[in-house]
Amino acid sequence: MENVPNIYENGGQMMAGRSTTAEMVVSRQAQEVQAAMVIAKKFPRNEVESFNRIMRACQRKTLAEQAMYEYPRGGTKVTGPSIRLAEAMAQNWGNLDFGIIELEQKQGESQVMAYAWDLETNTRQTKIFSVPHIRSTKKGNVALTDPRDIYEMVANQGARRVRACILGVIPGDVIDSAIEQCAKTLSGASTEPLIDRVRKMAKVFEDEFGVTLKMIEKYFGCSHESFTENTFIRLKNVYKSLRDGMAKREDYFEMALPADDKEVSDPFKDKGKAADTDGAESK
């Protein structure tokens, strides 16, 4: 009897090879996590020193200027700690593992996981989400095919979730203190009077975006003489959003129609009435 060749032999070897490789990757990651947790338990953080490191980091002007984000939504303004501040707090708090992992990429979208893990207390925040490979433009949605464009889209979407995960792991009072310290750093960074800084910034808005001082005052709901340091910081955040293309000026300000766009009255309206009157009188 002749031997019949096994047609699944090569496929079985390929599956076995893939299974072995996957097991090796999983085993290595598990060992890395276990080692990190052992080191975190052996060298626990000193919360006082960690807190002081965060406060010192927030005293840097460059970090303080990027510490908060702000954007309009539904007639209100949404503000909070930025990813830069969250990363600085995580780095100085210590014993934290955070980042994003692309789990799968198929059918024009990526499955991504963002996480933040306190290795010392075993507290973990995880968010799994989908990122469609689509960029929205004024002319409609554009499908992304360039790997670099897809990577940047995933990184941009993932940064927001990582920020939320980090803020969910670090104690809330530490976050509030960091925000307060950043505000103090910005308020003491300049010896120039606040009113002069506001006027200069208003001039920049008018020159670069066509936004007048009255539009700015209406946006904040008060006269520019009443602006505080926090208001000025928010104004700078709006400028950064417009400069970086994260928002449009119409998202923040009510743009007045130019004189040419106003409704033009009918130049023959009164003449028509006069003609009718003359006609009636002639009769």
Side-chain angles (χ1 to χ4, degrees):
M1 182 177 181
E2 296 182 359
N3 293 329
V4 178
N6 186 358
I7 61 174
Y8 302 103
E9 183 176 358
N10 294 332
Q13 291 177 356
M14 292 176 61
M15 292 298 294
R18 291 177 183 176
S19 178
T20 303
T21 303
E23 290 179 359
M24 289 176 60
V25 172
V26 172
S27 177
R28 184 179 62 185
Q29 290 180 343
Q31 291 176 1
E32 291 177 354
V33 170
Q34 291 176 0
M37 295 184 68
V38 169
I39 294 175
K41 292 290 186 180
K42 188 175 181 180
F43 301 100
R45 73 173 63 91
N46 185 324
E47 293 192 0
V48 176
E49 293 182 358
S50 299
F51 179 82
N52 292 336
R53 286 198 300 267
I54 293 175
M55 293 299 104
R56 286 196 297 269
C58 293
Q59 291 174 3
R60 301 198 303 268
K61 181 183 176 182
T62 52
L63 175 61
E65 289 178 344
Q66 304 175 8
M68 303 295 292
Y69 69 85
E70 179 177 310
Y71 62 91
R73 174 179 290 176
T76 62
K77 292 179 287 293
V78 180
T79 183
S82 67
I83 180 60
R84 298 292 169 259
L85 180 59
E87 289 175 345
M89 287 190 293
Q91 292 162 2
N92 289 283
W93 189 244
N95 287 342
L96 275 181
D97 182 20
F98 62 92
I100 60 174
I101 299 176
E102 187 173 13
L103 302 175
E104 188 179 16
Q105 184 178 133
K106 66 176 183 179
Q107 297 179 353
E109 69 175 15
S110 296
Q111 292 290 327
V112 187
M113 180 180 71
Y115 68 94
W117 191 353
D118 190 330
L119 300 172
E120 186 175 328
T121 62
N122 202 24
T123 302
R124 184 179 179 125
Q125 287 274 340
T126 304
K127 297 184 183 299
I128 299 177
F129 55 98
S130 299
V131 179
H133 300 165
I134 297 174
R135 177 182 290 119
S136 298
T137 64
K138 294 181 180 180
K139 298 181 180 180
N141 295 332
V142 178
L144 301 179
T145 56
D146 189 350
R148 181 176 179 178
D149 292 338
I150 295 174
Y151 166 79
E152 292 177 351
M153 176 68 70
V154 171
N156 185 31
Q157 296 289 331
R160 304 175 187 176
R161 275 75 173 189
V162 170
R163 177 190 62 212
C165 292
I166 293 174
L167 298 180
V169 172
I170 296 179
D173 59 323
V174 177
I175 299 173
D176 294 338
S177 298
I179 296 173
E180 183 179 354
Q181 181 59 55
C182 288
K184 290 180 180 179
T185 300
L186 291 177
S187 63
S190 177
T191 58
E192 187 179 11
L194 176 61
I195 187 65
D196 294 337
R197 284 182 280 151
V198 171
R199 288 170 180 167
K200 288 182 179 179
M201 182 61 72
K203 185 67 166 56
V204 173
F205 267 86
E206 187 170 2
D207 293 342
E208 296 187 11
F209 307 113
V211 176
T212 64
L213 181 59
K214 289 186 178 180
M215 296 178 187
I216 296 175
E217 290 176 338
K218 187 173 182 180
Y219 171 71
F220 289 107
C222 62
S223 173
H224 71 278
E225 288 90 352
S226 303
F227 280 13
T228 63
E229 287 289 348
N230 288 333
T231 309
F232 184 69
I233 293 172
R234 290 168 55 194
L235 182 60
K236 292 178 67 175
N237 291 336
V238 172
Y239 171 75
K240 292 176 184 177
S241 297
L242 296 179
R243 180 195 62 190
D244 298 339
M246 300 297 294
K248 300 179 294 185
R249 61 181 183 173
E250 290 81 5
D251 295 333
Y252 296 98
F253 308 104
E254 294 184 7
M255 306 302 296
L257 289 175
D260 296 339
D261 292 345
K262 292 183 179 179
E263 185 178 355
V264 180
S265 58
D266 187 357
F268 302 102
K269 184 176 182 181
D270 296 334
K271 293 182 179 180
K273 290 183 179 179
D276 293 342
T277 306
D278 294 343
E281 290 178 353
S282 63
K283 291 179 182 179

